Amino acid sequence: MSDHQWPEAGQSTPESAFQLKSLSPITTEDSFTDIILVGDISKHPLDGSKIWGHETEFFWPEKIPHARVSRFNYVASVVNTHRTREEVIRALREDILPERIKEQARDLDEYIKKKGSAAKPVLVGYGYGGLLCEQFIVDYAQDFPSSEVIKGLVLFGTPHFIHGLRQWARIVVETRAQSEASLASTSSITGIIGRAFTRGRASSRNLESLEADLDNIAKEQQSFLNKTKKVWDTRIASCFPVLSSLSRHSELSILPEWSTVPHAKQVIIRKPYLEMTAFNGENDEGYKVISSLIGGWIKKTKDHDNVPNKEDGVAIYPLRD
C-alpha cells in the first residue's frame, strides 16, 4: 500500500483519514440509506466548483431524503501536484495496476462493513472512483442479487473500453502535469497527449506502457459488464457529460459512447467532465434525474424484487437521438 493516502483528488490528508468520512450531520432517523461517494483523481486544480457540490450551497447528495452521506478516502499516487508529465504518467500507471484497484475495492468493502449501515448503500463513483466501485461489485457482490448488496450504483463519467480509458488518462495527465504547462493554456498539451491517447500508439516508452496498462483495465472491465448485464442493469445509472464547444474544458472530456455502461440507465449531464458532479440547484436537469432515481431505490429497500420503473417518475435520456 502506498505511504501517501488521500481523501479527494488534490487534497492531502493524514493516514488516519483513509476511511469513510461522514459528510452529513448526525441524524436521529431510525431509517436511512448510506450514499457513499468515491471521487476521481482528475479534479482540476483551477476549477472553482466543488466535487459533488460539497462545501457549496447545493451539496446535492444531502438533499436526497433519508440519506446519510459519506466519502470513501483512498490511496492515489497521481494526486501529488506540481509534477512533470512523465512523473504523472508513471504515478498513474501505479494507480491503475489491477492489484491496486483490487486493494482499493477490498478497502471499500471493509469500510462499508465497519460503517455498520442498517441499510444497503448507494455507491456513487466518479471517473477512477467508478472503476473502484465496479471492481467492488465484481469481487464482493458477484454471487448475490443487486438488492442484497447495494441499492444501486451511479457512475459519473467512468471510462469504459480502451478508447474511454485513453480519453480519461489524457484528462488526468493534463490536469496533473502542472509543472510543465499552465492550465490557462492547455492547447499545447492537448495536441501532444491527445494524439498519444486518441489517435494511435504513444510516442514514448512510458506512454506505450500506460497504453498496455489501460488495455488490461479494459479487459478486466469486461467481467463487470458481463456480471451486471442481467442482474444489475436496472440498478445502475451511467452519467455522461455533454458540453458546448465554447466550454473552456471542451478538449477535456470523454465521449458518451466511451463513458457509459451499455446496459445501464444512461443519463445526460449537460456539463464538462471536470464539473459534472456539481449541480446548480434543485431545478438542474441532471440533479432531478439522479435524485429521483436514487430516491426510487431507497423507497424499495424492503422489496428485493422491485426495480425503478416509469411510475417512479425517473426521466432517463437516450444516448443518441
Side-chain angles (χ1 to χ4, degrees):
M1 182 175 291
S2 170
D3 294 331
H4 300 286
Q5 298 171 336
W6 309 89
E8 286 290 352
Q11 298 181 4
S12 62
T13 187
E15 291 185 6
S16 60
F18 176 54
Q19 57 186 352
L20 276 178
K21 179 179 179 180
S22 178
L23 302 180
S24 293
I26 296 175
T27 178
T28 58
E29 278 193 78
D30 293 330
S31 179
F32 58 82
T33 291
D34 279 312
I35 296 180
I36 299 177
L37 309 174
V38 191
D40 194 19
I41 56 178
S42 63
K43 190 178 188 311
H44 201 304
L46 298 184
D47 190 347
S49 65
K50 299 285 187 177
I51 187 170
W52 317 116
H54 188 223
E55 297 181 348
T56 72
E57 293 182 358
F58 195 69
F59 179 37
W60 65 266
E62 204 170 67
K63 304 294 183 182
I64 297 174
H66 312 295
R68 180 177 68 176
V69 184
S70 299
R71 182 183 65 207
F72 176 61
N73 303 333
Y74 60 82
V75 175
S77 301
V78 80
V79 168
N80 284 330
T81 55
H82 304 296
R83 289 183 168 206
T84 67
R85 191 178 302 123
E86 289 296 309
E87 288 174 329
V88 170
I89 293 172
R90 283 196 294 270
L92 179 57
R93 290 192 61 207
E94 293 178 11
D95 289 332
I96 62 176
L97 288 172
E99 54 266 34
R100 169 66 68 85
I101 294 178
K102 285 180 175 292
E103 181 182 50
Q104 312 282 32
R106 185 184 67 245
D107 290 337
L108 177 58
D109 178 61
E110 290 177 357
Y111 281 113
I112 287 175
K113 292 175 181 176
K114 286 183 180 180
K115 189 72 172 177
S117 174
K120 293 162 283 292
V122 172
L123 297 182
V124 183
Y126 172 35
Y128 183 83
L131 297 179
L132 301 188
C133 291
E134 291 180 353
Q135 191 65 51
F136 163 80
I137 289 175
V138 170
D139 290 347
Y140 300 100
Q142 59 182 321
D143 297 327
F144 303 91
S146 61
S147 57
E148 293 291 339
V149 183
I150 63 173
K151 285 188 176 66
L153 171 65
V154 181
L155 299 173
F156 280 85
T158 297
H160 291 93
F161 310 103
I162 185 61
H163 296 297
L165 289 162
R166 285 174 182 165
Q167 291 171 0
W168 170 76
R170 169 187 166 189
I171 292 171
V172 174
V173 173
E174 291 191 16
T175 56
R176 290 294 168 193
Q178 294 301 292
S179 60
E180 287 196 15
S182 169
L183 285 176
S185 57
T186 59
S187 58
S188 59
I189 51 178
T190 294
I192 296 171
I193 301 178
R195 284 193 296 273
F197 287 113
T198 63
R199 299 179 185 175
R201 301 296 296 180
S203 56
S204 72
R205 180 176 299 178
N206 210 4
L207 284 173
E208 287 175 354
S209 298
L210 178 58
E211 173 87 0
D213 296 335
L214 296 173
D215 189 56
N216 288 335
I217 288 186
K219 293 175 181 177
E220 289 287 329
Q221 276 188 314
Q222 196 59 48
S223 296
F224 168 79
L225 297 175
N226 291 340
K227 291 173 182 177
T228 60
K229 188 171 184 180
K230 294 182 179 180
V231 179
W232 292 73
D233 56 342
T234 54
R235 293 282 180 174
I236 302 174
S238 199
C239 307
F240 60 94
V242 173
L243 60 160
S244 73
S245 59
L246 300 178
S247 169
R248 63 194 177 102
H249 298 320
S250 60
E251 294 292 336
L252 301 178
S253 194
I254 305 176
L255 293 176
E257 54 266 40
W258 308 128
S259 59
T260 52
V261 176
H263 51 268
K265 303 292 186 182
Q266 297 166 357
V267 183
I268 294 175
I269 304 296
R270 300 190 184 281
K271 287 192 174 186
Y273 178 86
L274 293 169
E275 301 172 6
M276 69 181 298
T277 66
F279 298 120
N280 298 326
E282 292 185 355
N283 293 324
D284 189 299
E285 185 178 7
Y287 166 73
K288 288 193 291 185
V289 174
I290 296 302
S291 63
S292 181
L293 182 58
I294 294 177
W297 291 337
I298 292 176
K299 289 178 182 178
K300 296 185 187 319
T301 300
K302 296 181 180 180
D303 189 348
H304 292 174
D305 296 324
N306 288 340
V307 295
N309 52 44
K310 293 180 179 179
E311 293 180 358
D312 292 321
V314 178
I316 303 299
Y317 295 84
L319 184 59
R320 295 184 177 88
D321 294 334

